[in-house]
Amino acid sequence: MKNDRLIDLGLTGYEELFMSTEERLNAKKPRVEAIPLAALTPFRNHPFKVKEDEEMAQLMRSIADAGVLSPALARPLPDGGYELISGHRRLAACKALGMDTMPVIIRDLTDEEAVITMVDSNLQREHILPSEKAFAYKMKLDALRHQGKASTQVAQKLSVEIVGEAAGESKDQVRRYIRLTNLIPEILQMVDDGKIALTPAVELSYLQPSEQETLFSIMDCDEATPSLSQAQRLRRMSEEQRFTDSAVMQLMSEVKGNQVEYVKVPVDKLRSYFRPDTSVKQMTETLVKAMDFYNKHLERQHRDRDAR
């Protein structure tokens, strides 16, 4: 009876049979192609920011002088073109320099493989923001769990450890960063700006979005951020449903041990003494100088009185 099934015996193909060893090895190497920049699409929900900073300026100078030394990595899209896995800063630099193409390694990757490769390749960067780590770790963790169809607690724990091992972080630190994805953008930006430390930010991530918006409004108005102790108390207030505007304002008005105490004056009471385009910082500096001048005036009056 004829057997229609194809049986793979692992035999060398006809064309490969007459290849040299070098040709056979080269055939299995990833191919580097000059891909038009217009055909490259940024990775969906790419968590790493492309900033116009000094590092970007250095990269542009390097590419202008010597070209793209390290090829980017992309995968083909079903409808044509390519999705960029790594090389987003190189793509931005090439576009800024007016280039038409850039060298790219094309590789077929599943969605999970693409996410894992994208995160791992970008974590090699020297400067990574907390928000970038947060969303990158979460994306990789979700990909690992989906890839392994992890459903048990043991499998999920191993996934967190794998993320941490690749990033040089403990599993607890990975979980802390992932918690930051629950912050509203305004507070997460304060974490990136170094205004709120990681540990207090993790506590704030347990607040409801509406509560975070209330807190941000108060922080923005008072130019104050919560300490770890205050963040923990804010979290308890939320869990115990005691989170109110007045309670938050009272808590945030407390002077922390490492915080300078401020004298608060409504801006509208000072506007009449300054030009309309004067910033709050400029008004503050002028007021300090005025008080310094006034203090020196009082000292002269005291000296003149003592001299009589």
Side-chain angles (χ1 to χ4, degrees), residues 94-122:
C94 289
K95 285 182 176 179
L97 291 169
M99 299 171 62
D100 297 321
T101 65
M102 67 181 287
V104 180
I105 296 173
I106 305 301
R107 186 174 294 163
D108 287 314
L109 297 170
T110 66
D111 290 345
E112 291 76 21
E113 289 171 341
V115 168
I116 293 168
T117 304
M118 179 274 296
V119 171
D120 287 348
S121 61
N122 280 279

Side-chain angles (χ1 to χ4, degrees), residues 81-297:
Y82 304 91
E83 182 178 38
L84 203 58
I85 306 298
S86 67
H88 291 76
R89 295 198 310 137
R90 278 163 281 176
L91 175 62
C94 289
K95 285 182 176 179
L97 291 169
M99 299 171 62
D100 297 321
T101 65
M102 67 181 287
V104 180
I105 296 173
I106 305 301
R107 186 174 294 163
D108 287 314
L109 297 170
T110 66
D111 290 345
E112 291 76 21
E113 289 171 341
V115 168
I116 293 168
T117 304
M118 179 274 296
V119 171
D120 287 348
S121 61
N122 280 279
L123 285 177
Q124 307 306 315
R125 289 161 53 175
E126 186 176 354
H127 302 293
I128 305 176
L129 295 171
S131 65
E132 294 175 328
K133 284 188 177 184
F135 286 101
Y137 290 169
K138 186 178 188 303
M139 289 178 71
K140 183 174 180 179
L141 182 62
D142 291 343
L144 285 169
R145 288 176 173 174
H146 189 268
Q147 191 179 54
K149 303 295 187 293
S151 56
T152 66
Q153 283 188 338
V154 174
Q156 291 183 14
K157 181 181 177 182
L158 286 174
S159 297
V160 178
E161 290 178 348
I162 291 171
V163 174
E165 183 179 350
E169 308 262 25
S170 69
K171 61 181 184 296
D172 291 334
Q173 191 75 337
V174 168
R175 290 193 179 99
R176 291 188 190 99
Y177 275 112
I178 291 177
R179 279 300 317 175
L180 300 185
T181 61
N182 295 283
L183 292 172
I184 63 173
E186 293 85 355
I187 294 182
L188 186 55
Q189 184 61 52
M190 296 181 76
V191 180
D192 280 347
D193 293 341
K195 296 178 181 178
I196 301 178
L198 175 62
T199 310
V202 170
E203 297 295 326
L204 299 181
S205 72
Y206 289 94
L207 303 181
Q208 296 298 318
S210 59
E211 295 171 338
Q212 292 185 41
E213 289 170 0
T214 296
L215 174 62
F216 174 74
S217 178
I218 293 171
M219 288 192 297
D220 188 47
C221 181
D222 292 350
E223 296 184 352
T225 57
S227 64
L228 174 58
S229 173
Q230 288 174 321
Q232 290 169 337
R233 289 158 61 191
L234 286 166
R235 177 181 173 181
R236 286 197 298 271
M237 286 165 55
S238 174
E239 292 170 345
E240 297 169 3
Q241 298 184 344
R242 296 185 294 104
F243 196 101
T244 62
D245 292 11
S246 59
V248 175
M249 290 177 68
Q250 182 177 351
L251 186 150
M252 291 300 296
S253 66
E254 299 174 357
V255 179
K256 299 187 285 291
N258 62 345
Q259 186 178 25
V260 178
E261 192 169 5
Y262 289 89
V263 174
K264 298 177 183 178
V265 181
V267 175
D268 57 356
K269 291 187 177 182
L270 301 175
R271 283 291 179 198
S272 60
Y273 299 102
F274 297 91
R275 290 169 46 184
D277 60 346
T278 306
S279 67
V280 173
K281 181 179 179 181
Q282 290 172 325
M283 284 191 280
T284 302
E285 291 173 350
T286 303
L287 286 173
V288 172
K289 290 178 182 177
M291 291 305 300
D292 184 55
F293 177 82
Y294 178 67
N295 187 54
K296 290 178 180 177
H297 172 70

